[in-house]
Amino acid sequence: MRDTRFQELAAQLAGYSTALRPGDRVLLELTDIPEEMGVALIREVRAAGALPFLRLNQTRLNREMLSGAVEEQYEAIARHRMAEMEDMDAYIEIRGGGNAFEFSSVPQENMATAMKALNPVAQRRIRHTRWCGLRWPSEGMAQQAAMSTEEFEDFYFRTCLMDYGTLRPAMKRLAEMMEAADKVRITGPGTNIAFSIKGLNAIPCAGECNLPDGEVFTAPVIDSANGHISFNVPSLFQGIPFDSIRLTLEDGLIVHAEAGDKTPQLNAILDTDPGARRLGEFAFGVNPAITKPMRNILFDEKISGSFHLTPGQAYHVADNGNQSRIHWDMVCIQTEEAGGGDIYLDNELVRHNGLFTSPELAILNPIHS
């Protein structure tokens, strides 16, 4: 039986998220998703008068390629993909896969080789196409979220298909508050950090570039962050699970980083290049329907009552000048249940224990069912 939600999601992606127009060239990059979803997406692209182009991947084959990655090979792959991307007006990526740890055995140096070659392609996509990326629900994701498969699928489609337009006014207001501010201070268990966001854009994200969505981001002034921070949301990066990451920053530089027995792997990633030890993003998570972590960054960075700080590459729309081959959103929940915490803009308390203090932002507070 065809799941009508496939068609609804395809329509959301082609219509609301990427706003396809007649004649647009659209690259569809699909990894381990049902054929029915791919068919629905191709049909929606055509219905908009746009032209679909298809690239299919498989996670295990990608892992095998990365396991033997060499510079000459990935430079050639990057040239081919750059030529393709330069010919596209829009890009939609859906990534499935049952094993979230599939890339955990890939040597770090091989991963760095591939990332170095492919990062310019990703930057071209971000800067010059209308794009949206999302994961596809799987039994593995449900297990990480401590949900049944059916429960997780219902949650996934509910959050992807929610009416993001209703959140946009409050998100826009929060962005205005951030753009008017100079200093940010964040306190909480194991956390006392301050930095400047003066002069940088703040961007409300309401379903355009990610599904599910729900964050308002900017970037710290590159040399302004000082203090220490503890992240209480488990993170999966480059196929490696990390828990309880703790960072210390001096003048914008991560001078100390630890994550229990994964501390060597953490520091290896932060040593990818000089920009990996500086911050490229600061964001409030504001999706009121996402209230608990599931070790999936595309969901966890949107948790209402959370914030994230990001070692690595800054986005061009909120560019503090930091450049890196990595971009790693590290998430901390500040709800009372998670230990609490406060965020101040220019010494004014804007969120306490995960709840915005202003009534005009209340719609962004967590929904507990």
Side-chain angles (χ1 to χ4, degrees):
M1 181 182 299
R2 179 180 298 172
D3 192 328
T4 59
R5 296 175 300 185
F6 289 13
Q7 191 66 42
E8 294 175 40
L9 181 57
Q12 178 101 330
L13 289 166
Y16 178 83
S17 296
T18 56
L20 297 183
R21 302 185 290 258
D24 278 344
R25 292 183 173 92
V26 188
L27 178 59
L28 308 177
E29 184 159 8
L30 311 179
T31 303
D32 295 332
I33 72 167
E35 291 180 354
E36 293 81 3
M37 182 62 212
V39 169
L41 190 53
I42 290 170
R43 289 176 178 173
E44 282 295 327
V45 170
R46 285 178 176 155
L51 303 173
F53 295 79
L54 187 63
R55 183 191 298 140
L56 299 178
N57 297 306
Q58 292 183 1
T59 303
R60 290 187 64 184
L61 297 184
N62 288 348
R63 185 199 65 80
E64 188 61 32
M65 288 287 286
L66 289 166
S67 294
V70 296
E71 187 173 347
E72 179 183 3
Q73 172 196 23
Y74 271 84
E75 285 180 350
I77 290 172
R79 285 197 304 271
H80 301 159
R81 294 193 179 180
M82 180 65 81
E84 179 181 49
M85 192 63 69
E86 287 175 343
D87 203 32
M88 295 295 151
D89 302 294
Y91 172 88
I92 297 172
E93 180 190 23
I94 307 179
R95 288 185 290 123
N99 183 2
F101 304 100
E102 193 66 54
F103 298 132
S104 61
S105 62
V106 175
Q108 187 62 42
E109 59 270 23
N110 294 45
M111 189 70 76
T113 294
M115 290 174 64
K116 179 180 179 181
L118 294 173
N119 186 57
V121 183
Q123 292 305 310
R124 168 75 192 190
R125 165 180 62 81
I126 292 170
R127 293 171 184 265
H128 298 289
T129 71
R130 303 187 306 280
W131 61 275
C132 188
L134 60 158
R135 295 294 307 273
W136 187 257
S138 66
E139 292 181 356
M141 291 172 68
Q143 187 175 35
Q144 287 172 225
M147 296 181 183
S148 70
T149 302
E150 183 176 359
E151 181 186 14
F152 182 78
E153 288 178 351
D154 289 343
F155 166 77
Y156 171 87
F157 283 106
R158 185 169 64 252
T159 54
C160 286
L161 296 173
M162 67 187 297
D163 183 3
Y164 286 99
T166 62
L167 303 179
R168 179 172 287 281
M171 294 172 68
K172 185 173 182 290
R173 175 60 186 138
L174 177 58
E176 291 169 351
M177 294 167 63
M178 294 166 69
E179 289 184 340
D182 176 359
K183 301 294 185 182
V184 177
R185 183 177 174 220
I186 306 173
T187 62
T191 295
N192 191 344
I193 189 169
F195 50 87
S196 173
I197 56 173
K198 185 176 182 179
L200 287 150
N201 295 332
I203 311 298
C205 300
E208 298 90 349
C209 295
N210 284 148
L211 289 178
D213 212 349
E215 65 174 295
V216 182
F217 75 88
T218 184
V221 173
I222 194 167
D223 60 355
S224 67
N226 285 281
H228 55 272
I229 181 168
S230 296
F231 298 97
N232 57 15
V233 172
S235 186
L236 183 67
F237 193 76
Q238 296 183 356
I240 303 170
F242 294 89
D243 296 278
S244 303
I245 293 174
R246 293 180 291 278
L247 306 178
T248 300
L249 292 96
E250 295 179 1
D251 297 330
L253 184 68
I254 299 171
V255 296
H256 181 77
E258 58 181 275
D261 62 356
K262 293 295 194 302
T263 295
Q265 293 94 323
L266 170 63
N267 281 283
I269 293 170
L270 295 177
D271 289 335
T272 297
D273 52 40
R277 284 192 177 266
R278 293 191 179 273
L279 300 176
E281 182 186 354
F282 160 65
F284 288 90
V286 297
N287 188 316
I290 304 178
T291 58
K292 67 176 184 177
M294 51 195 68
R295 206 187 279 271
N296 185 302
I297 289 175
L298 283 180
F299 285 85
D300 293 348
E301 66 176 351
K302 316 300 190 330
I303 293 171
S304 186
S306 77
F307 70 89
H308 55 271
L309 283 168
T310 305
Q313 179 74 37
Y315 286 114
H316 71 287
V317 290
D319 192 358
N320 68 354
N322 199 41
Q323 297 183 7
S324 176
R325 297 194 297 274
I326 76 162
H327 180 95
W328 185 356
D329 297 319
M330 297 180 178
V331 183
C332 180
I333 303 174
Q334 292 192 302
T335 60
E336 189 172 0
E337 298 88 340
D342 295 322
I343 299 181
Y344 300 83
L345 297 179
D346 288 340
N347 296 318
E348 180 180 350
L349 180 65
V350 295
R351 205 172 67 180
H352 172 64
N353 288 350
L355 299 176
F356 286 105
T357 57
S358 170
E360 60 186 329
L361 303 181
I363 192 174
L364 304 177
N365 288 332
I367 297 172
H368 294 283
S369 56

